Amino acid sequence: MSYEEAMCAMILDKSTDTSGITQVAALSDELQPVFDKAKSKYQACDIELFFVFRCLPEEYERKSTVRYAKKDNTIYFDMTVSEDQYKTFSKSRQRYELSHYFYAFLSDKLKKYKIEHLNHTEFMNDMEEWLKDIGWFQSELEASMNEYGE
């Protein structure tokens, strides 16, 4: 891939802000194959999608936000989940909750942006398939069966 092609590709990346009490940081690492598939399939989309996974105490009152940085051509998805809730969940339950929140948040917020060469419905259908491939976005029954095995 040439430098020009690299500059005109979809990039997905992430960071975390957690205390380590929960599995949120480790679970977010599971997304790398999904990010790689999106980058490969949506090379024509010149945008970076950057996700911040925060798992914080409710007393912080931190809300999830999205912003577009024109200078960087990046959409920042800053997602916050409750450490107070997640610390009571098994790893399977955390994966279930986080994956459904991630998918719904991405789908809802991404459609507010017009990204050249990106069909929102097709992208979200691909994301759903790729998330399922890594064990994310399971049904509640599948998640509870995994939880039973822990």
Side-chain angles (χ1 to χ4, degrees), residues 80-97:
T80 303
V81 296
S82 167
E83 181 181 85
D84 301 317
Q85 288 180 352
Y86 274 62
K87 69 183 179 184
T88 68
F89 296 158
S90 68
K91 185 174 183 178
S92 291
R93 186 66 190 191
Q94 288 181 46
R95 182 181 290 112
Y96 171 82
E97 296 290 339

Side-chain angles (χ1 to χ4, degrees), residues 12 15-16 19 25 45 62 65 70 102 106 110 123-124 127:
L12 288 89
S15 181
T16 59
S19 68
C45 301
R62 176 90 186 214
T65 61
K70 187 173 185 173
F102 169 79
L106 174 61
L110 189 63
F123 181 73
M124 292 313 301
M127 288 298 286

Side-chain angles (χ1 to χ4, degrees), residues 98-124:
L98 189 63
S99 67
H100 282 264
Y101 182 67
F102 169 79
Y103 181 86
F105 189 75
L106 174 61
S107 180
D108 181 54
K109 302 304 182 189
L110 189 63
K111 65 184 167 193
K112 296 178 179 171
Y113 296 93
K114 298 286 183 226
I115 301 169
E116 194 173 355
H117 307 296
L118 184 70
N119 176 302
H120 178 268
T121 303
E122 179 184 350
F123 181 73
M124 292 313 301

Side-chain angles (χ1 to χ4, degrees), residues 4-112:
E4 290 79 19
E5 288 172 322
M7 300 313 317
C8 293
M10 177 178 276
I11 298 169
L12 288 89
D13 205 356
K14 61 110 190 145
S15 181
T16 59
D17 179 11
T18 70
S19 68
I21 293 174
T22 66
Q23 298 293 319
V24 170
L27 291 170
S28 72
D29 289 341
E30 296 175 355
L31 287 170
Q32 194 56 54
V34 174
F35 290 176
D36 292 345
K37 286 178 182 178
K39 181 179 179 179
S40 177
K41 181 168 182 181
Y42 292 94
Q43 292 178 16
C45 301
D46 181 24
I47 190 79
E48 179 173 359
L49 307 180
F50 192 89
F51 303 92
V52 180
F53 291 86
R54 297 183 194 274
C55 187
L56 302 172
E58 290 175 8
E59 67 190 41
Y60 287 16
E61 297 182 357
R62 176 90 186 214
K63 302 288 182 214
S64 296
T65 61
V66 177
R67 70 178 176 87
Y68 172 68
K70 187 173 185 173
K71 178 177 71 115
D72 303 326
N73 197 31
T74 301
I75 303 173
Y76 292 93
F77 297 86
D78 192 333
M79 298 172 291
T80 303
V81 296
S82 167
E83 181 181 85
D84 301 317
Q85 288 180 352
Y86 274 62
K87 69 183 179 184
T88 68
F89 296 158
S90 68
K91 185 174 183 178
S92 291
R93 186 66 190 191
Q94 288 181 46
R95 182 181 290 112
Y96 171 82
E97 296 290 339
L98 189 63
S99 67
H100 282 264
Y101 182 67
F102 169 79
Y103 181 86
F105 189 75
L106 174 61
S107 180
D108 181 54
K109 302 304 182 189
L110 189 63
K111 65 184 167 193
K112 296 178 179 171

Side-chain angles (χ1 to χ4, degrees), residues 127-138:
M127 288 298 286
E128 180 178 348
E129 178 183 326
W130 297 333
L131 289 171
K132 287 179 177 178
D133 287 347
I134 63 164
W136 278 45
F137 210 60
Q138 296 181 321

